[in-house]
Amino acid sequence: LEELLLIEDKEQSKYVFELSIIRKVLFTTESLGDGEWLIKMLDSAIRVNRSKDDSHLQFGLNMAKDKSRFLAEAAIFYIERLSEVNIYYDASVSHKMQMSKKIFPNKKGSAMLSNSDMRRFEKHRSGLFNKVSSLEGLVRRISVM
């Protein structure tokens, strides 16, 4: 996912993150890994923003600030996407609903969900959110930006 976050065209990036396969990957805790890449993105944005403004380094500093802003926006975009995960990102639920629609084409999607589907989703989403929120210094880094 880190590589996908580095797509510079915002419209293209939004399109890619709307693809069902990417949404399903986003829903896995493995997509975050150890979270080090997310912390590094935020750290590089913070470092550049704290740089002194020397006139002979202005051009390089402006380029670094642009890159820094891009990395910060990419990290925030990732956190926003995580915040939006819903039950349809869950591959097993999604597959079950697709199969049910073929069998019962007139039923609404929510009518096909069982309580166990909801509990499984909520447990998995909580695990994902806990993994992200347990990244050391995440909230501090976001607030510094």
Side-chain angles (χ1 to χ4, degrees):
L1 284 179
E2 178 185 5
E3 294 296 322
L4 294 176
L5 288 168
L6 298 178
I7 297 172
E8 291 187 22
D9 183 306
K10 289 184 189 254
E11 291 304 313
Q12 189 67 27
S13 181
K14 285 179 183 178
Y15 171 77
V16 167
F17 275 84
E18 286 300 315
L19 296 171
S20 61
I21 187 75
I22 300 303
R23 289 188 299 176
K24 286 168 182 39
V25 168
L26 186 67
F27 189 65
T28 65
T29 53
E30 293 82 13
S31 69
L32 180 64
D34 64 3
E36 187 69 23
W37 61 269
L38 183 60
I39 296 299
K40 283 181 180 179
M41 286 176 91
L42 293 169
D43 281 347
S44 70
I46 291 168
R47 262 193 311 279
V48 171
N49 285 333
R50 289 185 175 169
S51 298
K52 290 189 177 184
D53 189 6
D54 295 336
S55 60
H56 68 284
L57 299 173
Q58 188 62 40
F59 179 71
L61 184 59
N62 285 341
M63 286 180 58
K65 282 188 176 183
D66 288 344
K67 182 179 179 187
S68 155
R69 186 176 299 111
F70 173 72
L71 290 174
E73 288 173 359
I76 299 302
F77 179 78
Y78 173 74
I79 293 168
E80 287 173 343
R81 297 293 77 78
L82 279 182
S83 299
E84 295 172 352
V85 297
N86 61 54
I87 196 160
Y88 300 104
Y89 285 43
D90 188 329
S92 66
V93 171
S94 179
H95 177 71
K96 177 182 174 183
M97 290 186 64
Q98 287 174 359
M99 294 304 294
S100 296
K101 283 181 182 178
K102 289 180 183 176
I103 298 168
F104 306 107
N106 295 328
K107 258 190 167 178
K108 293 193 185 279
S110 59
M112 296 178 214
L113 296 175
S114 66
N115 287 336
S116 63
D117 291 331
M118 288 302 295
R119 282 192 303 274
R120 180 187 174 290
F121 164 73
E122 289 169 353
K123 181 179 178 184
H124 188 80
R125 183 181 60 183
S126 291
L128 181 61
F129 286 0
N130 288 338
K131 187 171 182 177
V132 172
S133 64
S134 71
L135 293 175
E136 191 170 328
L138 178 70
V139 173
R140 180 181 51 80
R141 284 173 172 90
I142 291 171
S143 64
V144 167
M145 294 182 356

